[in-house]
Amino acid sequence: MIGLISATAAGASARDRLATAWPDRTRVYDGPVREAVERAFAECDQLVCFLATGATVRLLAPLLADKSTDPGVVCVDEAGRYAVSLLGGHAGGANSLATEVGSTLSATPVITTATDATGIPGLDTLGLPFEGAMATVTRAMLDGAPVTLRADAVWPLPPLPPNVTAGGAGGAPPTRSGGDDPTEPTAHAPLGVPMPSTPAGTVRPGATLLVSDRVVPLGPADVVLRPPSLVVGVGASRGVGVDEVYGLVVDVLRDAGLSALSVGELATVDAKADEPGIVGAAAELGVPVRTYPADVLASVDVPNPSDAPLAAVGTPSVAEAAALAAAGRGGELLVPKRKSSPQGRPAMATCAVVRRATRGRLAVVGLGPGARDLVTPRAVAELRRASVLVGLDQYVDQIRDLLRPGTRVIESGLGREEERARTAVAEARAGHAVALIGSGDAGVYAMASPALAEAADDIEVVGVPGVTAALAAAAILGAPLGHDHVSISLSDLHTPWEVIERRVRAAAEADIVVTFYNPRSRGRDWQLPKALALLAEHRTGTTPVGVVRNASRPDGTSHLTTLARIDPTTVDMMTVVTVGNTATREIAGRMVTPRGYRWQSEGAR
């Protein structure tokens, strides 16, 4: 919950605007300001104070306890011009809240956190648990001091600054990810052996950033990020206690030299989904429980099957099979099934530990029709999260300034869509955080389809919708898509013309509004006239037609014509052509398709 506090009528006005915009997220605190701040600070995750920054600082000072638990605080001036991230920029989410408040109130967000200001990703914002000297390593990254990156595997991290270089096990020289380009970011080198301990009274030169699920000794300038790479499979007898399950898991991880912070989930059989001991142990670890049907677990090949679980729940293995099933393809069994060892009675719990294979991330991002203000905030966030960007060269140029420093860019020209899709998937399979960009919506005649045809379940795939060319053009024309509509590409490079013609004819016979993509190029100048002729068999020559080129861009043009008067020679590949149905009308210079046909029958009476 976000607490809202104000002291004056002007501040209350801005406060109420935010409360109206976010009714389910906010709570207004009235009364004396000091008491309101104290109550909100104790009860809310975040605060927005419509007060002077000096006054807000004095009110907050006696309340501060720890940066990891204090709420994030944003301070907004009473005129609503600026949203200042004042407290808890990362841990409290104040930086992102300031951006949200700024967007909602048309205020300028003011963020002074060093990593955000310089474009360097904050290690404490990656959503990974960490141990060690976070502040020291972050300061080294900001100062340009040497930071050595050592990792068990390539994890999908955002781009890191050039002073962060990969080091091999035991301090081996940095290795690059390929090629001779000195600006290419280094690969994440494997953490082949635990870091050597630091003798008392000495300081290891430079800072070290580790990404590992192993327990490693840390020096005064080291931090380790804990990826969710481990799955713990658990089997249990009915009525097992939380302490027995949790104690077994902790002991097994400790003996194997693995960190409990890297456990992503507990896995078991469906029959144990509500077992209090398992559910309670998962709560202690702060992870979810995933369950599988017994027949699924029975099909998993395990090294230590047993008759006891087969008789009890219908599968010869629970702990090992569930952990392997949850880890997915390429999972490595690190700790085979082990029983608990309570004193004076038989064991009631078993567990096994599996390490997931490296799982990269592919975000397929739609950039919209071209205007910067039509690039969605989610698209911007994914661009800044990606360490590798893949895209058409002219689209890369549109958003290059949005990338973090160090982002590796793989760009190519027209006609190489399938190559870009394969490249993006390969980079994700290598463990990177990849953004594959396309114009409009990446799922509409763009890169999502060829990319997902290449991808399997060994990578995480995220789709980011964008404003399509059809929608951008429709907004310019008026409301041509007010009723049923369809988009059809006239390019026969990948689809035979016979198929395209059949689709156009079906749309014509069904009286559906049609938007043509890829309508005409120098090598394909007859398809658009043919498609228009097919529509004309079922619509009058006065049917409105909208022609929009470079929708939303500074050099964009549009005009409204009719099916009989449209000149196909004015159309090119940067144009979309929208043809109305029999109900579409030109009203005050705008193309409008009514939402229904009732008006036609009413007008005929």
Side-chain angles (χ1 to χ4, degrees):
M1 185 60 67
I2 303 172
L4 306 181
I5 302 104
S6 63
T8 68
S13 176
R15 176 202 68 192
D16 292 344
R17 288 168 55 201
L18 196 62
T20 300
W22 300 346
D24 299 327
R25 300 175 58 192
T26 58
R27 179 186 304 161
V28 173
Y29 284 79
D30 290 317
V33 174
R34 183 177 298 278
E35 295 177 7
V37 169
E38 290 175 354
R39 285 187 290 123
F41 196 90
E43 297 172 358
C44 295
D45 302 313
Q46 297 174 318
L47 279 67
V48 179
C49 297
F50 294 84
L51 308 166
T53 53
T56 306
V57 168
R58 293 181 184 279
L59 291 168
L60 292 174
L63 308 176
L64 302 182
D66 186 276
K67 67 180 295 183
S68 64
T69 58
D70 290 336
V73 180
V74 170
C75 188
V76 180
D77 65 290
E78 294 178 331
R81 295 174 300 175
Y82 301 99
V84 182
S85 175
L86 192 66
L87 179 71
H90 285 168
N95 289 352
S96 58
L97 179 60
T99 301
E100 280 193 278
V101 171
S103 176
T104 303
L105 299 181
S106 298
T108 301
V110 179
I111 299 171
T112 59
T113 306
T115 50
D116 293 75
T118 58
I120 293 175
L123 299 178
D124 56 346
T125 67
L126 303 182
L128 301 179
F130 61 87
E131 297 173 281
M134 174 65 73
T136 301
V137 175
T138 300
R139 176 63 182 270
M141 290 170 57
L142 289 166
D143 289 347
V147 177
T148 300
L149 172 66
R150 301 176 67 199
D152 289 332
V154 182
W155 284 92
L157 300 177
L160 300 174
N163 56 308
V164 180
T165 56
T175 58
R176 293 197 171 274
S177 57
D180 299 320
D181 183 359
T183 65
E184 186 177 65
T186 54
H188 301 182
L191 182 67
V193 295
M195 286 186 60
S197 59
T198 304
T202 66
V203 177
R204 186 183 295 126
T208 303
L209 169 61
L210 298 100
V211 185
S212 176
D213 56 24
R214 309 184 195 189
V215 176
V216 292
L218 299 175
D222 302 334
V223 67
V224 56
L225 302 178
R226 299 297 189 188
S229 54
L230 304 178
V231 178
V232 177
V234 178
S237 300
R238 181 65 61 188
V240 67
V242 173
D243 290 344
E244 184 168 347
V245 177
Y246 178 68
L248 172 63
V249 172
V250 170
D251 289 347
V252 165
L253 292 171
R254 182 195 61 233
D255 294 347
L258 299 170
S259 172
L261 293 177
S262 279
V263 175
E265 59 190 344
L266 297 191
T268 190
V269 66
D270 279 351
K272 301 297 180 180
D274 298 324
E275 187 65 46
I278 296 176
V279 174
E284 291 284 343
L285 291 164
V287 300
V289 177
R290 180 186 291 194
T291 66
Y292 294 89
D295 60 336
V296 171
L297 298 186
S299 67
V300 179
D301 185 28
V302 297
N304 300 293
S306 173
D307 292 335
L310 180 61
V313 293
T315 172
S317 172
V318 174
E320 291 178 343
L324 288 166
R329 181 168 29 179
E332 175 189 4
L333 182 63
L334 300 180
V335 181
K337 179 181 68 176
R338 175 170 149 183
K339 294 182 179 181
S340 57
S341 53
Q343 293 184 345
R345 61 175 176 80
M348 297 182 70
T350 61
C351 83
V353 183
V354 171
R355 177 183 284 142
R356 288 188 171 99
T358 298
R359 185 174 171 85
R361 188 175 192 275
L362 173 62
V364 186
V365 181
L367 299 179
R372 174 57 59 87
D373 59 355
L374 292 182
V375 179
T376 67
R378 187 178 300 181
V380 174
E382 289 294 346
L383 294 175
R384 294 183 63 77
R385 177 172 180 165
S387 61
V388 180
L389 181 84
V390 181
L392 179 68
D393 47 14
Q394 64 190 62
Y395 297 155
V396 171
D397 289 340
Q398 292 177 20
I399 48 84
R400 200 182 297 271
D401 62 301
L402 297 177
L403 306 178
R404 288 190 188 274
T407 303
R408 179 155 55 97
V409 177
I410 302 174
E411 55 190 305
S412 55
L414 287 168
R416 300 173 68 180
E417 289 80 9
E418 293 182 357
E419 176 187 326
R420 286 194 290 274
R422 288 192 295 269
T423 298
V425 171
E427 291 288 340
R429 285 198 173 119
H432 299 295
V434 183
L436 175 63
I437 58 174
S439 66
D441 183 286
V444 179
Y445 303 121
M447 294 305 303
S449 179
L452 298 191
E454 294 284 338
D457 60 0
D458 56 342
I459 61 174
E460 179 185 3
V461 177
V462 177
V464 181
V467 178
T468 68
L471 296 181
I476 293 170
L477 294 170
L481 308 183
H483 206 284
D484 297 337
H485 54 275
V486 64
S487 295
I488 299 176
S489 171
L490 294 184
S491 172
D492 57 359
L493 294 178
H494 300 287
T495 305
W497 173 253
E498 292 77 13
V499 175
I500 298 172
E501 181 174 342
R502 188 166 65 247
R503 292 171 179 173
V504 175
R505 191 179 299 278
E509 293 175 352
D511 196 27
I512 296 176
V513 176
V514 181
T515 297
F516 289 123
Y517 278 73
N518 304 314
R520 184 176 181 273
S521 68
R522 283 177 294 183
R524 295 185 299 100
D525 58 0
W526 59 268
Q527 285 90 339
L528 178 59
K530 176 62 175 177
L532 294 172
L534 291 173
L535 293 178
E537 293 177 8
H538 299 270
R539 301 177 196 184
T540 68
T542 59
T543 300
V545 176
V547 180
V548 181
R549 186 178 189 278
N550 282 339
S552 85
R553 302 185 186 187
D555 59 345
T557 61
S558 68
H559 69 274
L560 193 58
T561 182
T562 66
L563 192 54
R565 299 179 61 184
I566 181 175
D567 180 2
T569 64
T570 64
V571 174
D572 61 14
M573 290 290 286
M574 305 303 293
T575 306
V576 291
V577 177
T578 300
V579 182
N581 64 15
T582 57
T584 305
R585 297 289 183 268
E586 179 181 345
I587 302 174
R590 303 181 185 93
M591 186 176 177
V592 180
T593 301
R595 291 184 60 185
Y597 287 82
R598 182 179 303 171
W599 68 274
Q600 289 181 306
S601 60
E602 291 176 348
R605 292 174 188 166

